[in-house]
Amino acid sequence: MDQVAQIIAETAKVAVKETADAPPPQFTGAVEWPVEASLGKGLEGAIACESQIGYVDGTKGWLIYGGLNVFDLAEKSTYEESSYLTLNGKLPTRAELTEFEKKLKDYGAVPDEVIETLKRLPKETHPMAALRTGVSVLGCLDPNADEPTVENEMEISIKLVAQLATIAGAVARIRKGEDVVPPDLELGHSANYLYMSTGEKPDELLARIMDVALILHIDHGMNASTFTTMVVNSSLSDMYSSVVAGIGSLKGPLHGGANERVLYDLNEIGTPDNTEPWYRAAREQKRLIMGFGHRVYKAYDPRARILKPLAALMAEKDPEMRKLYDIAIKLDDLVSTELGEAKGVFPNVDFYSGIVYTGLGFETAMFTPIFAVSRIAGWCARALEYLADNRIFRPRAAYVGPMSADYVPIDQR
Ligand SMILES: CC(C)(COP(=O)(O)OP(=O)(O)OC[C@H]1O[C@@H](n2cnc3c(N)ncnc32)[C@H](O)[C@@H]1OP(=O)(O)O)[C@@H](O)C(=O)NCCC(=O)NCCS
């Protein structure tokens, strides 16, 4: 067992103890769903479909992909294996995994037209807008894009899992005026992504931490970007268009992006001693503390549980990282003690991920693309699952406008 696996195994033990019980092996999320759906703002509480891909229990702090607890996957699996699980609904055999890994490598390089387009974008382009554009160009270049069968879209999905990492790496390099780094066939998916982003081949520990971070973000229920991807795909558009839309949705600050704000806040706090005065001032001004609270989790987010000790490993790297981590720990203590039990506000996935990404060598603007590079597997898996028994999404709005207004000629209005 490697150092990271050991840390996660210990963390899982604490999580199981604190959440009283882990899901039983025969557990199926579906039987616990409410049968009656209600109309809520932002579709809150609405059930859009049945799914076997993943389950979140926000009260207990469970996150499950295809029946497997995320603690187990982070400890024992790889991004390749966990994304195969998400796309195919089962863990791969050794032969299936080898074939999947080979496909990811074979598909890894992107056409020159994509890189050329990224280079022509204005310098100040938002990295998520660049990512979205890169996928759009990929779609234009794929002669098989417009065949909406599960088989064809599965192949495109594997391509997208491979190529989103390459595009995100290229975006990271181009925005800093550095040479684009092509994928290295010797490296695994996560190590390759890190290499293409930073230009440096990561050591085993950093590659493993990158891998865990990607595993943790693969799927998270019917979130906005996943639903967006599914809605576009349900019109039998094409998987590239669907993923372009998913990236657009994730770009919004209410979805991806809170971890950037966390890092900003930690830097603003500046020193561990200033944490409590900063926190008190934020509470007094009724400001939200970034990286805390969640629409679904009212318990400690299991992803934050795993990322916290990985952030501690990053703290060993240098004094700057140590300072950020020490401030984060103090802030976590203050918020969890005062708002945890009282309001169900605990650290969410974004609180410690920013420290981990900084330690891995990413600039803050590239945090949300990391999310996309992982979530691509979940987006595609859920779009494919829905495609197998497709019905175009077509909800209704409750009309509350007038019914019989008079048409007033324009010069009389
Ligand atoms: C994620 C978020 C939108 C969830 O909001 P929500 O579901 O409306 O939150 P809740 O209804 O559970 O909030 C319950 C109470 O806790 C408070 N609260 C929630 N998150 C808080 C935070 N980050 N800091 C301080 N107080 C918070 C709410 O103001 C509310 O207080 P009240 O009872 O006095 O009205 C919200 O927690 C938030 O904006 N967090 C910060 C941004 C962030 O980290 N986003 C990433 C999410 S992965």
Side-chain angles (χ1 to χ4, degrees), residues 399 401-408:
Y399 180 69
M403 282 291 196
S404 56
D406 288 333
Y407 181 83
V408 180

Side-chain angles (χ1 to χ4, degrees), residues 15-267:
V16 168
K17 217 162 148 191
E18 286 183 8
T19 57
D21 49 357
Q26 76 281 13
F27 169 82
T28 62
V31 295
E32 294 205 343
W33 289 4
V35 181
E36 299 273 330
S38 58
L39 172 66
K41 203 172 170 194
L43 291 181
E44 191 167 350
I47 294 175
C49 61
E50 287 190 338
S51 175
Q52 299 194 354
I53 291 185
Y55 180 72
V56 186
D57 187 319
T59 317
K60 299 195 170 88
W62 295 346
L63 174 58
I64 291 158
Y65 303 159
L68 283 119
N69 199 303
V70 78
F71 282 106
D72 265 350
L73 292 170
E75 180 193 330
K76 299 168 191 160
S77 184
T78 59
Y79 179 76
E80 287 90 330
E81 187 182 57
S82 295
S83 49
Y84 181 100
L85 163 71
T86 310
L87 286 165
N88 295 280
K90 68 171 196 78
L91 285 171
T93 62
R94 190 174 292 282
E96 286 165 340
L97 181 60
T98 305
E99 193 197 332
F100 187 70
E101 287 170 343
K102 181 173 179 322
K103 274 193 180 181
L104 291 182
K105 285 187 199 282
D106 290 348
Y107 284 140
V110 298
D112 290 345
E113 289 92 328
V114 174
I115 303 295
E116 286 314 310
T117 306
L118 295 176
K119 285 183 177 166
R120 285 173 184 215
L121 296 174
K123 275 255 159 307
E124 58 281 6
T125 300
H126 191 295
M128 288 296 280
L131 204 60
R132 190 190 63 207
T133 306
V135 174
S136 197
V137 177
L138 269 186
C140 299
L141 296 169
D142 186 343
N144 298 324
D146 289 311
E147 189 194 311
T149 61
V150 172
E151 198 187 12
N152 185 51
E153 292 209 344
M154 172 64 89
E155 207 55 30
I156 291 174
S157 299
I158 300 169
K159 249 189 226 177
L160 280 167
V161 170
Q163 297 187 341
L164 206 61
T166 310
I167 297 175
V171 170
R173 305 286 297 168
I174 292 167
R175 54 180 277 115
K176 289 203 284 186
E178 292 166 343
D179 287 342
V180 171
V181 178
D184 182 326
L185 294 178
E186 297 301 313
L187 298 176
H189 185 73
S190 305
N192 223 342
Y193 170 42
L194 201 45
Y195 170 55
M196 291 186 286
S197 300
T198 62
E200 280 173 37
K201 289 195 183 162
D203 62 24
E204 228 171 89
L205 180 66
L206 291 189
R208 177 80 169 96
I209 292 174
M210 180 81 253
D211 205 49
V212 170
L214 292 189
I215 290 172
L216 295 182
H217 289 83
I218 287 179
D219 184 69
H220 207 245
M222 195 58 66
N223 54 84
S225 58
T226 299
F227 186 51
T228 305
T229 306
M230 290 172 64
V231 170
V232 175
N233 218 54
S234 80
S235 75
L236 302 186
S237 179
D238 68 288
M239 194 56 99
Y240 293 98
S241 301
S242 308
V243 167
V244 162
I247 295 171
S249 168
L250 183 63
K251 175 172 174 284
L254 295 186
H255 192 357
N259 52 10
E260 291 182 31
R261 301 275 303 277
V262 171
L263 215 73
Y264 175 84
D265 286 350
L266 296 180
N267 280 311

Side-chain angles (χ1 to χ4, degrees), residues 253-255 258-259 262 283 287-298 301 303 335 339 343-345 348-350:
L254 295 186
H255 192 357
N259 52 10
V262 171
R283 294 291 297 148
R287 278 194 284 129
L288 288 169
I289 318 290
M290 290 297 123
F292 290 88
H294 198 277
R295 181 55 52 84
V296 179
Y297 290 115
K298 301 304 168 196
D301 183 330
R303 302 165 300 174
V335 178
L339 305 181
K343 291 184 187 280
V345 174
N348 60 47
V349 66
D350 289 323

Side-chain angles (χ1 to χ4, degrees), residues 325-336:
Y325 178 74
D326 288 345
I327 297 169
I329 287 290
K330 280 204 162 187
L331 194 55
D332 181 351
D333 276 354
L334 284 163
V335 178
S336 297

